Amino acid sequence: DLHRLIRRQRQMCIRDSNSLLGPYKGGVRFCLTTNEDNLITLSLWKTLKCALASLPFGGAKGVILINPEQLTISELEKISREYIAKLAANIGPEQDILAADLNTNAKVAEWMESEYSKICQIPRPGVITCKPVNKGGIEGRDEATGLGAYYCITTLEKYNSWQPKKIKIAIQGFGECGHVVAKYLFDRGYNIVAVSDYYGGIYAADGLN
């Protein structure tokens, strides 16, 4: 049934973006619940983020409407490569730079880079970030988003004269970003009282280790 699914992706792989400041830059996610309005909003946020950080990129976001938990590794690779084949004329380091996002990772980024380089017939590692380090990725990338959130919180701590041990923290989303935030905040002395993810959440009034 994979061929039917890939054909369906031709109508369902969406990528929305803004390139006012430079090439598009944004992640590709595997998610059944993302719609076009959500994608436009995420692209806008990425555009503003790049602008505020004085980065020469526009914002973008892409999605393949699948549930990766229902597919094999082989099927995910074929769909990832088909996505790149479909968009190859509209992406690239000078035009639209992809990245891993919700339910995608370094392995997916590696597949996508490999397919794009095959189509171009020359190595084009700059088409996507978040690749494995031995494939041109950057050390520290896995922690980058969560660590950035941590820095934002510690900046607020400074301006508001917070005492970490007196602050209770609840973290909504405990994936690649949330668990990093939790670790760094806990090590700094914050009281993590609740965490949640797609499947549910836990709460402990005295704090979680």
Side-chain angles (χ1 to χ4, degrees), residues 104-135:
T104 55
N105 53 31
K107 177 53 69 175
V108 173
E110 182 181 349
W111 294 332
M112 290 184 172
E113 185 276 329
S114 171
E115 185 65 22
Y116 186 74
S117 294
K118 183 173 72 173
I119 292 168
C120 294
Q121 298 184 331
I122 57 171
R124 296 285 277 166
V127 70
I128 187 166
T129 61
C130 309
K131 300 178 296 294
V133 173
N134 64 353
K135 298 292 183 178

Side-chain angles (χ1 to χ4, degrees), residues 19 36 92:
S19 63
E36 190 168 1

